[in-house]
Amino acid sequence: MSAILLIQKVDESGAVIIDPDPWTRVRKENYFKRYFLGSSELAESSTIVDVDRVKFRFHLSTAMLSARFKVSIKVEYKEFDYLIEVEVEVKESLF
């Protein structure tokens, strides 16, 4: 019978920092709409049709809301009966 010697290797990964996201989805959507569409009367009557395609993250340590989407999103301007498709080029991503 042969003996096998097992030696435990020390885990060398760095510290893991967890940045909790205390905001609800609704709160993040409201902030996104305000800053993406503005706060005019036209913006108030407008809708981001497919806001569910947007992934949000509020970073507590930096007090910053980030939003990302891989495809364009549609914005409906009810006052003018417009439906536009918006594509955003992301230069830097937080997540």
Side-chain angles (χ1 to χ4, degrees), residues 55-88:
K55 294 187 181 196
F56 297 107
R57 177 98 171 102
F58 179 75
H59 303 271
L60 188 60
S61 61
T62 60
M64 182 182 292
L65 175 67
S66 60
R68 69 178 170 145
F69 43 97
K70 294 184 179 184
V71 294
S72 59
I73 58 174
K74 295 178 179 77
V75 179
E76 181 180 18
Y77 291 97
K78 296 174 185 166
E79 191 170 318
F80 298 117
D81 198 26
Y82 283 176
L83 179 65
I84 63 170
E85 198 166 324
V86 180
E87 289 185 30
V88 177

PDB file of all heavy atoms in Angstrom, residues 55-88:
ATOM      1  N   LYS A  55     -29.516  47.280 -16.377  1.00  0.00           N
ATOM      2  CA  LYS A  55     -29.024  46.749 -15.103  1.00  0.00           C
ATOM      3  C   LYS A  55     -28.456  47.917 -14.310  1.00  0.00           C
ATOM      4  O   LYS A  55     -27.618  48.665 -14.794  1.00  0.00           O
ATOM      5  CB  LYS A  55     -27.954  45.695 -15.342  1.00  0.00           C
ATOM      6  CG  LYS A  55     -28.519  44.480 -16.022  1.00  0.00           C
ATOM      7  CD  LYS A  55     -27.525  43.366 -16.107  1.00  0.00           C
ATOM      8  CE  LYS A  55     -28.197  42.217 -16.820  1.00  0.00           C
ATOM      9  NZ  LYS A  55     -27.526  40.980 -16.678  1.00  0.00           N
ATOM     10  N   PHE A  56     -28.962  48.052 -13.098  1.00  0.00           N
ATOM     11  CA  PHE A  56     -28.561  49.155 -12.231  1.00  0.00           C
ATOM     12  C   PHE A  56     -27.744  48.641 -11.061  1.00  0.00           C
ATOM     13  O   PHE A  56     -27.917  47.517 -10.611  1.00  0.00           O
ATOM     14  CB  PHE A  56     -29.792  49.862 -11.648  1.00  0.00           C
ATOM     15  CG  PHE A  56     -30.679  50.498 -12.667  1.00  0.00           C
ATOM     16  CD1 PHE A  56     -31.902  49.936 -12.985  1.00  0.00           C
ATOM     17  CD2 PHE A  56     -30.301  51.660 -13.305  1.00  0.00           C
ATOM     18  CE1 PHE A  56     -32.732  50.518 -13.920  1.00  0.00           C
ATOM     19  CE2 PHE A  56     -31.118  52.252 -14.240  1.00  0.00           C
ATOM     20  CZ  PHE A  56     -32.337  51.683 -14.548  1.00  0.00           C
ATOM     21  N   ARG A  57     -26.886  49.545 -10.563  1.00  0.00           N
ATOM     22  CA  ARG A  57     -26.124  49.246  -9.352  1.00  0.00           C
ATOM     23  C   ARG A  57     -25.826  50.567  -8.670  1.00  0.00           C
ATOM     24  O   ARG A  57     -25.279  51.484  -9.289  1.00  0.00           O
ATOM     25  CB  ARG A  57     -24.826  48.534  -9.702  1.00  0.00           C
ATOM     26  CG  ARG A  57     -23.946  48.240  -8.508  1.00  0.00           C
ATOM     27  CD  ARG A  57     -24.140  46.818  -8.044  1.00  0.00           C
ATOM     28  NE  ARG A  57     -23.140  46.493  -7.048  1.00  0.00           N
ATOM     29  CZ  ARG A  57     -23.385  46.454  -5.750  1.00  0.00           C
ATOM     30  NH1 ARG A  57     -24.581  46.707  -5.298  1.00  0.00           N
ATOM     31  NH2 ARG A  57     -22.444  46.144  -4.906  1.00  0.00           N
ATOM     32  N   PHE A  58     -26.230  50.681  -7.416  1.00  0.00           N
ATOM     33  CA  PHE A  58     -25.857  51.849  -6.624  1.00  0.00           C
ATOM     34  C   PHE A  58     -24.655  51.463  -5.790  1.00  0.00           C
ATOM     35  O   PHE A  58     -24.694  50.508  -5.024  1.00  0.00           O
ATOM     36  CB  PHE A  58     -27.007  52.314  -5.718  1.00  0.00           C
ATOM     37  CG  PHE A  58     -26.623  53.497  -4.872  1.00  0.00           C
ATOM     38  CD1 PHE A  58     -26.525  54.755  -5.443  1.00  0.00           C
ATOM     39  CD2 PHE A  58     -26.343  53.351  -3.530  1.00  0.00           C
ATOM     40  CE1 PHE A  58     -26.147  55.854  -4.677  1.00  0.00           C
ATOM     41  CE2 PHE A  58     -25.969  54.435  -2.762  1.00  0.00           C
ATOM     42  CZ  PHE A  58     -25.874  55.690  -3.340  1.00  0.00           C
ATOM     43  N   HIS A  59     -23.578  52.215  -5.942  1.00  0.00           N
ATOM     44  CA  HIS A  59     -22.334  51.942  -5.225  1.00  0.00           C
ATOM     45  C   HIS A  59     -22.291  52.821  -3.982  1.00  0.00           C
ATOM     46  O   HIS A  59     -22.084  54.037  -4.075  1.00  0.00           O
ATOM     47  CB  HIS A  59     -21.135  52.213  -6.134  1.00  0.00           C
ATOM     48  CG  HIS A  59     -21.189  51.414  -7.398  1.00  0.00           C
ATOM     49  ND1 HIS A  59     -20.648  50.165  -7.497  1.00  0.00           N
ATOM     50  CD2 HIS A  59     -21.768  51.678  -8.590  1.00  0.00           C
ATOM     51  CE1 HIS A  59     -20.866  49.693  -8.710  1.00  0.00           C
ATOM     52  NE2 HIS A  59     -21.548  50.592  -9.388  1.00  0.00           N
ATOM     53  N   LEU A  60     -22.524  52.210  -2.855  1.00  0.00           N
ATOM     54  CA  LEU A  60     -22.613  52.931  -1.590  1.00  0.00           C
ATOM     55  C   LEU A  60     -21.318  53.669  -1.262  1.00  0.00           C
ATOM     56  O   LEU A  60     -21.339  54.801  -0.802  1.00  0.00           O
ATOM     57  CB  LEU A  60     -22.978  51.965  -0.465  1.00  0.00           C
ATOM     58  CG  LEU A  60     -23.304  52.561   0.895  1.00  0.00           C
ATOM     59  CD1 LEU A  60     -24.491  53.507   0.796  1.00  0.00           C
ATOM     60  CD2 LEU A  60     -23.599  51.451   1.895  1.00  0.00           C
ATOM     61  N   SER A  61     -20.189  53.052  -1.541  1.00  0.00           N
ATOM     62  CA  SER A  61     -18.901  53.658  -1.170  1.00  0.00           C
ATOM     63  C   SER A  61     -18.608  54.931  -1.952  1.00  0.00           C
ATOM     64  O   SER A  61     -17.912  55.817  -1.461  1.00  0.00           O
ATOM     65  CB  SER A  61     -17.765  52.654  -1.351  1.00  0.00           C
ATOM     66  OG  SER A  61     -17.692  52.254  -2.707  1.00  0.00           O
ATOM     67  N   THR A  62     -19.144  55.049  -3.168  1.00  0.00           N
ATOM     68  CA  THR A  62     -18.904  56.240  -3.984  1.00  0.00           C
ATOM     69  C   THR A  62     -20.158  57.086  -4.173  1.00  0.00           C
ATOM     70  O   THR A  62     -20.096  58.144  -4.794  1.00  0.00           O
ATOM     71  CB  THR A  62     -18.385  55.848  -5.380  1.00  0.00           C
ATOM     72  OG1 THR A  62     -19.361  55.019  -6.026  1.00  0.00           O
ATOM     73  CG2 THR A  62     -17.049  55.138  -5.289  1.00  0.00           C
ATOM     74  N   ALA A  63     -21.298  56.611  -3.664  1.00  0.00           N
ATOM     75  CA  ALA A  63     -22.594  57.288  -3.834  1.00  0.00           C
ATOM     76  C   ALA A  63     -22.894  57.535  -5.305  1.00  0.00           C
ATOM     77  O   ALA A  63     -23.355  58.594  -5.688  1.00  0.00           O
ATOM     78  CB  ALA A  63     -22.656  58.572  -3.028  1.00  0.00           C
ATOM     79  N   MET A  64     -22.610  56.525  -6.138  1.00  0.00           N
ATOM     80  CA  MET A  64     -22.802  56.651  -7.579  1.00  0.00           C
ATOM     81  C   MET A  64     -23.739  55.556  -8.084  1.00  0.00           C
ATOM     82  O   MET A  64     -23.598  54.394  -7.702  1.00  0.00           O
ATOM     83  CB  MET A  64     -21.452  56.549  -8.291  1.00  0.00           C
ATOM     84  CG  MET A  64     -21.549  56.721  -9.788  1.00  0.00           C
ATOM     85  SD  MET A  64     -19.953  56.552 -10.597  1.00  0.00           S
ATOM     86  CE  MET A  64     -19.127  58.006 -10.000  1.00  0.00           C
ATOM     87  N   LEU A  65     -24.670  55.950  -8.938  1.00  0.00           N
ATOM     88  CA  LEU A  65     -25.556  54.991  -9.590  1.00  0.00           C
ATOM     89  C   LEU A  65     -25.005  54.711 -10.970  1.00  0.00           C
ATOM     90  O   LEU A  65     -24.722  55.636 -11.730  1.00  0.00           O
ATOM     91  CB  LEU A  65     -26.983  55.566  -9.705  1.00  0.00           C
ATOM     92  CG  LEU A  65     -27.984  54.710 -10.475  1.00  0.00           C
ATOM     93  CD1 LEU A  65     -28.276  53.413  -9.720  1.00  0.00           C
ATOM     94  CD2 LEU A  65     -29.264  55.480 -10.726  1.00  0.00           C
ATOM     95  N   SER A  66     -24.810  53.453 -11.288  1.00  0.00           N
ATOM     96  CA  SER A  66     -24.372  53.096 -12.636  1.00  0.00           C
ATOM     97  C   SER A  66     -25.474  52.285 -13.304  1.00  0.00           C
ATOM     98  O   SER A  66     -26.234  51.579 -12.643  1.00  0.00           O
ATOM     99  CB  SER A  66     -23.056  52.317 -12.604  1.00  0.00           C
ATOM    100  OG  SER A  66     -23.192  51.136 -11.864  1.00  0.00           O
ATOM    101  N   ALA A  67     -25.569  52.453 -14.607  1.00  0.00           N
ATOM    102  CA  ALA A  67     -26.573  51.744 -15.393  1.00  0.00           C
ATOM    103  C   ALA A  67     -25.894  51.205 -16.645  1.00  0.00           C
ATOM    104  O   ALA A  67     -25.033  51.861 -17.220  1.00  0.00           O
ATOM    105  CB  ALA A  67     -27.703  52.688 -15.776  1.00  0.00           C
ATOM    106  N   ARG A  68     -26.295  50.024 -17.042  1.00  0.00           N
ATOM    107  CA  ARG A  68     -25.723  49.469 -18.278  1.00  0.00           C
ATOM    108  C   ARG A  68     -26.780  48.683 -19.018  1.00  0.00           C
ATOM    109  O   ARG A  68     -27.686  48.101 -18.419  1.00  0.00           O
ATOM    110  CB  ARG A  68     -24.496  48.626 -17.989  1.00  0.00           C
ATOM    111  CG  ARG A  68     -24.786  47.337 -17.282  1.00  0.00           C
ATOM    112  CD  ARG A  68     -23.523  46.533 -17.086  1.00  0.00           C
ATOM    113  NE  ARG A  68     -23.842  45.423 -16.204  1.00  0.00           N
ATOM    114  CZ  ARG A  68     -23.302  44.233 -16.296  1.00  0.00           C
ATOM    115  NH1 ARG A  68     -22.399  43.989 -17.197  1.00  0.00           N
ATOM    116  NH2 ARG A  68     -23.640  43.283 -15.469  1.00  0.00           N
ATOM    117  N   PHE A  69     -26.648  48.696 -20.310  1.00  0.00           N
ATOM    118  CA  PHE A  69     -27.507  47.887 -21.154  1.00  0.00           C
ATOM    119  C   PHE A  69     -26.737  47.546 -22.413  1.00  0.00           C
ATOM    120  O   PHE A  69     -25.997  48.359 -22.944  1.00  0.00           O
ATOM    121  CB  PHE A  69     -28.847  48.577 -21.461  1.00  0.00           C
ATOM    122  CG  PHE A  69     -28.764  50.042 -21.806  1.00  0.00           C
ATOM    123  CD1 PHE A  69     -28.751  50.457 -23.123  1.00  0.00           C
ATOM    124  CD2 PHE A  69     -28.719  50.987 -20.810  1.00  0.00           C
ATOM    125  CE1 PHE A  69     -28.694  51.802 -23.438  1.00  0.00           C
ATOM    126  CE2 PHE A  69     -28.667  52.342 -21.114  1.00  0.00           C
ATOM    127  CZ  PHE A  69     -28.650  52.745 -22.438  1.00  0.00           C
ATOM    128  N   LYS A  70     -26.883  46.304 -22.858  1.00  0.00           N
ATOM    129  CA  LYS A  70     -26.108  45.813 -23.992  1.00  0.00           C
ATOM    130  C   LYS A  70     -26.744  46.172 -25.330  1.00  0.00           C
ATOM    131  O   LYS A  70     -26.084  46.161 -26.350  1.00  0.00           O
ATOM    132  CB  LYS A  70     -25.921  44.305 -23.887  1.00  0.00           C
ATOM    133  CG  LYS A  70     -25.067  43.904 -22.712  1.00  0.00           C
ATOM    134  CD  LYS A  70     -24.826  42.422 -22.690  1.00  0.00           C
ATOM    135  CE  LYS A  70     -23.941  42.086 -21.507  1.00  0.00           C
ATOM    136  NZ  LYS A  70     -23.583  40.694 -21.464  1.00  0.00           N
ATOM    137  N   VAL A  71     -28.008  46.459 -25.300  1.00  0.00           N
ATOM    138  CA  VAL A  71     -28.717  46.805 -26.534  1.00  0.00           C
ATOM    139  C   VAL A  71     -29.320  48.189 -26.367  1.00  0.00           C
ATOM    140  O   VAL A  71     -29.345  48.739 -25.279  1.00  0.00           O
ATOM    141  CB  VAL A  71     -29.826  45.776 -26.849  1.00  0.00           C
ATOM    142  CG1 VAL A  71     -29.235  44.417 -27.160  1.00  0.00           C
ATOM    143  CG2 VAL A  71     -30.801  45.663 -25.702  1.00  0.00           C
ATOM    144  N   SER A  72     -29.802  48.742 -27.454  1.00  0.00           N
ATOM    145  CA  SER A  72     -30.428  50.057 -27.364  1.00  0.00           C
ATOM    146  C   SER A  72     -31.725  49.961 -26.561  1.00  0.00           C
ATOM    147  O   SER A  72     -32.304  48.897 -26.420  1.00  0.00           O
ATOM    148  CB  SER A  72     -30.722  50.582 -28.769  1.00  0.00           C
ATOM    149  OG  SER A  72     -31.571  49.696 -29.446  1.00  0.00           O
ATOM    150  N   ILE A  73     -32.148  51.095 -26.021  1.00  0.00           N
ATOM    151  CA  ILE A  73     -33.417  51.137 -25.306  1.00  0.00           C
ATOM    152  C   ILE A  73     -34.354  52.092 -26.039  1.00  0.00           C
ATOM    153  O   ILE A  73     -33.910  52.972 -26.773  1.00  0.00           O
ATOM    154  CB  ILE A  73     -33.251  51.556 -23.828  1.00  0.00           C
ATOM    155  CG1 ILE A  73     -32.577  52.918 -23.701  1.00  0.00           C
ATOM    156  CG2 ILE A  73     -32.504  50.509 -23.044  1.00  0.00           C
ATOM    157  CD1 ILE A  73     -32.525  53.440 -22.287  1.00  0.00           C
ATOM    158  N   LYS A  74     -35.628  51.901 -25.834  1.00  0.00           N
ATOM    159  CA  LYS A  74     -36.632  52.705 -26.511  1.00  0.00           C
ATOM    160  C   LYS A  74     -37.252  53.705 -25.533  1.00  0.00           C
ATOM    161  O   LYS A  74     -37.553  53.367 -24.405  1.00  0.00           O
ATOM    162  CB  LYS A  74     -37.713  51.811 -27.097  1.00  0.00           C
ATOM    163  CG  LYS A  74     -37.199  50.905 -28.191  1.00  0.00           C
ATOM    164  CD  LYS A  74     -38.304  49.999 -28.706  1.00  0.00           C
ATOM    165  CE  LYS A  74     -37.797  49.110 -29.805  1.00  0.00           C
ATOM    166  NZ  LYS A  74     -37.015  47.997 -29.351  1.00  0.00           N
ATOM    167  N   VAL A  75     -37.410  54.931 -26.021  1.00  0.00           N
ATOM    168  CA  VAL A  75     -38.017  55.989 -25.225  1.00  0.00           C
ATOM    169  C   VAL A  75     -39.242  56.492 -25.976  1.00  0.00           C
ATOM    170  O   VAL A  75     -39.155  56.834 -27.160  1.00  0.00           O
ATOM    171  CB  VAL A  75     -37.033  57.157 -24.981  1.00  0.00           C
ATOM    172  CG1 VAL A  75     -37.699  58.247 -24.174  1.00  0.00           C
ATOM    173  CG2 VAL A  75     -35.768  56.654 -24.290  1.00  0.00           C
ATOM    174  N   GLU A  76     -40.366  56.521 -25.273  1.00  0.00           N
ATOM    175  CA  GLU A  76     -41.616  56.980 -25.876  1.00  0.00           C
ATOM    176  C   GLU A  76     -41.929  58.379 -25.364  1.00  0.00           C
ATOM    177  O   GLU A  76     -42.037  58.595 -24.165  1.00  0.00           O
ATOM    178  CB  GLU A  76     -42.754  56.026 -25.510  1.00  0.00           C
ATOM    179  CG  GLU A  76     -44.079  56.414 -26.099  1.00  0.00           C
ATOM    180  CD  GLU A  76     -45.195  55.458 -25.713  1.00  0.00           C
ATOM    181  OE1 GLU A  76     -45.033  54.706 -24.729  1.00  0.00           O
ATOM    182  OE2 GLU A  76     -46.212  55.476 -26.393  1.00  0.00           O
ATOM    183  N   TYR A  77     -42.037  59.311 -26.301  1.00  0.00           N
ATOM    184  CA  TYR A  77     -42.436  60.684 -25.987  1.00  0.00           C
ATOM    185  C   TYR A  77     -43.906  60.827 -26.359  1.00  0.00           C
ATOM    186  O   TYR A  77     -44.254  61.036 -27.514  1.00  0.00           O
ATOM    187  CB  TYR A  77     -41.577  61.697 -26.749  1.00  0.00           C
ATOM    188  CG  TYR A  77     -40.144  61.725 -26.270  1.00  0.00           C
ATOM    189  CD1 TYR A  77     -39.145  61.005 -26.921  1.00  0.00           C
ATOM    190  CD2 TYR A  77     -39.796  62.455 -25.146  1.00  0.00           C
ATOM    191  CE1 TYR A  77     -37.839  61.025 -26.473  1.00  0.00           C
ATOM    192  CE2 TYR A  77     -38.481  62.483 -24.684  1.00  0.00           C
ATOM    193  CZ  TYR A  77     -37.513  61.758 -25.355  1.00  0.00           C
ATOM    194  OH  TYR A  77     -36.214  61.779 -24.898  1.00  0.00           O
ATOM    195  N   LYS A  78     -44.761  60.677 -25.382  1.00  0.00           N
ATOM    196  CA  LYS A  78     -46.206  60.633 -25.622  1.00  0.00           C
ATOM    197  C   LYS A  78     -46.755  61.936 -26.173  1.00  0.00           C
ATOM    198  O   LYS A  78     -47.650  61.934 -27.008  1.00  0.00           O
ATOM    199  CB  LYS A  78     -46.930  60.248 -24.337  1.00  0.00           C
ATOM    200  CG  LYS A  78     -46.593  58.860 -23.875  1.00  0.00           C
ATOM    201  CD  LYS A  78     -47.201  58.550 -22.532  1.00  0.00           C
ATOM    202  CE  LYS A  78     -46.706  57.190 -22.082  1.00  0.00           C
ATOM    203  NZ  LYS A  78     -46.970  56.930 -20.696  1.00  0.00           N
ATOM    204  N   GLU A  79     -46.206  63.065 -25.726  1.00  0.00           N
ATOM    205  CA  GLU A  79     -46.722  64.360 -26.152  1.00  0.00           C
ATOM    206  C   GLU A  79     -46.601  64.559 -27.668  1.00  0.00           C
ATOM    207  O   GLU A  79     -47.460  65.168 -28.296  1.00  0.00           O
ATOM    208  CB  GLU A  79     -45.971  65.481 -25.423  1.00  0.00           C
ATOM    209  CG  GLU A  79     -46.609  66.831 -25.591  1.00  0.00           C
ATOM    210  CD  GLU A  79     -45.986  67.864 -24.678  1.00  0.00           C
ATOM    211  OE1 GLU A  79     -45.728  67.544 -23.498  1.00  0.00           O
ATOM    212  OE2 GLU A  79     -45.766  68.986 -25.146  1.00  0.00           O
ATOM    213  N   PHE A  80     -45.536  64.033 -28.272  1.00  0.00           N
ATOM    214  CA  PHE A  80     -45.327  64.183 -29.710  1.00  0.00           C
ATOM    215  C   PHE A  80     -45.597  62.889 -30.478  1.00  0.00           C
ATOM    216  O   PHE A  80     -45.403  62.825 -31.681  1.00  0.00           O
ATOM    217  CB  PHE A  80     -43.899  64.635 -29.998  1.00  0.00           C
ATOM    218  CG  PHE A  80     -43.574  65.971 -29.413  1.00  0.00           C
ATOM    219  CD1 PHE A  80     -42.598  66.097 -28.454  1.00  0.00           C
ATOM    220  CD2 PHE A  80     -44.257  67.106 -29.816  1.00  0.00           C
ATOM    221  CE1 PHE A  80     -42.287  67.330 -27.902  1.00  0.00           C
ATOM    222  CE2 PHE A  80     -43.954  68.341 -29.277  1.00  0.00           C
ATOM    223  CZ  PHE A  80     -42.973  68.460 -28.315  1.00  0.00           C
ATOM    224  N   ASP A  81     -46.004  61.853 -29.762  1.00  0.00           N
ATOM    225  CA  ASP A  81     -46.249  60.543 -30.359  1.00  0.00           C
ATOM    226  C   ASP A  81     -44.995  60.008 -31.068  1.00  0.00           C
ATOM    227  O   ASP A  81     -45.054  59.515 -32.180  1.00  0.00           O
ATOM    228  CB  ASP A  81     -47.438  60.600 -31.318  1.00  0.00           C
ATOM    229  CG  ASP A  81     -47.999  59.216 -31.609  1.00  0.00           C
ATOM    230  OD1 ASP A  81     -47.843  58.319 -30.761  1.00  0.00           O
ATOM    231  OD2 ASP A  81     -48.589  59.033 -32.701  1.00  0.00           O
ATOM    232  N   TYR A  82     -43.841  60.148 -30.391  1.00  0.00           N
ATOM    233  CA  TYR A  82     -42.559  59.670 -30.905  1.00  0.00           C
ATOM    234  C   TYR A  82     -42.143  58.424 -30.138  1.00  0.00           C
ATOM    235  O   TYR A  82     -42.368  58.315 -28.940  1.00  0.00           O
ATOM    236  CB  TYR A  82     -41.449  60.687 -30.683  1.00  0.00           C
ATOM    237  CG  TYR A  82     -41.412  61.864 -31.618  1.00  0.00           C
ATOM    238  CD1 TYR A  82     -40.485  62.879 -31.418  1.00  0.00           C
ATOM    239  CD2 TYR A  82     -42.267  61.978 -32.702  1.00  0.00           C
ATOM    240  CE1 TYR A  82     -40.425  63.983 -32.244  1.00  0.00           C
ATOM    241  CE2 TYR A  82     -42.221  63.079 -33.535  1.00  0.00           C
ATOM    242  CZ  TYR A  82     -41.298  64.075 -33.302  1.00  0.00           C
ATOM    243  OH  TYR A  82     -41.235  65.163 -34.118  1.00  0.00           O
ATOM    244  N   LEU A  83     -41.481  57.534 -30.840  1.00  0.00           N
ATOM    245  CA  LEU A  83     -40.804  56.405 -30.215  1.00  0.00           C
ATOM    246  C   LEU A  83     -39.401  56.398 -30.794  1.00  0.00           C
ATOM    247  O   LEU A  83     -39.224  56.209 -31.998  1.00  0.00           O
ATOM    248  CB  LEU A  83     -41.516  55.089 -30.502  1.00  0.00           C
ATOM    249  CG  LEU A  83     -40.875  53.847 -29.902  1.00  0.00           C
ATOM    250  CD1 LEU A  83     -40.913  53.893 -28.383  1.00  0.00           C
ATOM    251  CD2 LEU A  83     -41.575  52.596 -30.403  1.00  0.00           C
ATOM    252  N   ILE A  84     -38.399  56.650 -29.961  1.00  0.00           N
ATOM    253  CA  ILE A  84     -37.036  56.679 -30.451  1.00  0.00           C
ATOM    254  C   ILE A  84     -36.233  55.548 -29.811  1.00  0.00           C
ATOM    255  O   ILE A  84     -36.558  55.067 -28.725  1.00  0.00           O
ATOM    256  CB  ILE A  84     -36.341  58.036 -30.191  1.00  0.00           C
ATOM    257  CG1 ILE A  84     -36.210  58.314 -28.693  1.00  0.00           C
ATOM    258  CG2 ILE A  84     -37.075  59.163 -30.878  1.00  0.00           C
ATOM    259  CD1 ILE A  84     -35.329  59.499 -28.381  1.00  0.00           C
ATOM    260  N   GLU A  85     -35.203  55.144 -30.506  1.00  0.00           N
ATOM    261  CA  GLU A  85     -34.317  54.101 -29.998  1.00  0.00           C
ATOM    262  C   GLU A  85     -32.976  54.751 -29.691  1.00  0.00           C
ATOM    263  O   GLU A  85     -32.428  55.482 -30.507  1.00  0.00           O
ATOM    264  CB  GLU A  85     -34.151  53.015 -31.066  1.00  0.00           C
ATOM    265  CG  GLU A  85     -33.643  51.728 -30.531  1.00  0.00           C
ATOM    266  CD  GLU A  85     -33.823  50.596 -31.528  1.00  0.00           C
ATOM    267  OE1 GLU A  85     -34.825  50.566 -32.257  1.00  0.00           O
ATOM    268  OE2 GLU A  85     -32.929  49.742 -31.563  1.00  0.00           O
ATOM    269  N   VAL A  86     -32.471  54.497 -28.490  1.00  0.00           N
ATOM    270  CA  VAL A  86     -31.258  55.158 -28.016  1.00  0.00           C
ATOM    271  C   VAL A  86     -30.151  54.132 -27.819  1.00  0.00           C
ATOM    272  O   VAL A  86     -30.353  53.110 -27.170  1.00  0.00           O
ATOM    273  CB  VAL A  86     -31.535  55.875 -26.675  1.00  0.00           C
ATOM    274  CG1 VAL A  86     -30.283  56.572 -26.173  1.00  0.00           C
ATOM    275  CG2 VAL A  86     -32.676  56.859 -26.819  1.00  0.00           C
ATOM    276  N   GLU A  87     -28.995  54.449 -28.384  1.00  0.00           N
ATOM    277  CA  GLU A  87     -27.801  53.636 -28.144  1.00  0.00           C
ATOM    278  C   GLU A  87     -26.801  54.507 -27.411  1.00  0.00           C
ATOM    279  O   GLU A  87     -26.638  55.677 -27.730  1.00  0.00           O
ATOM    280  CB  GLU A  87     -27.190  53.155 -29.459  1.00  0.00           C
ATOM    281  CG  GLU A  87     -28.027  52.119 -30.147  1.00  0.00           C
ATOM    282  CD  GLU A  87     -27.353  51.556 -31.383  1.00  0.00           C
ATOM    283  OE1 GLU A  87     -26.100  51.511 -31.418  1.00  0.00           O
ATOM    284  OE2 GLU A  87     -28.072  51.169 -32.300  1.00  0.00           O
ATOM    285  N   VAL A  88     -26.158  53.959 -26.413  1.00  0.00           N
ATOM    286  CA  VAL A  88     -25.180  54.709 -25.623  1.00  0.00           C
ATOM    287  C   VAL A  88     -23.841  54.011 -25.721  1.00  0.00           C
ATOM    288  O   VAL A  88     -23.742  52.807 -25.524  1.00  0.00           O
ATOM    289  CB  VAL A  88     -25.629  54.795 -24.136  1.00  0.00           C
ATOM    290  CG1 VAL A  88     -24.586  55.512 -23.316  1.00  0.00           C
ATOM    291  CG2 VAL A  88     -26.972  55.499 -24.037  1.00  0.00           C
TER     292      VAL A  88
END
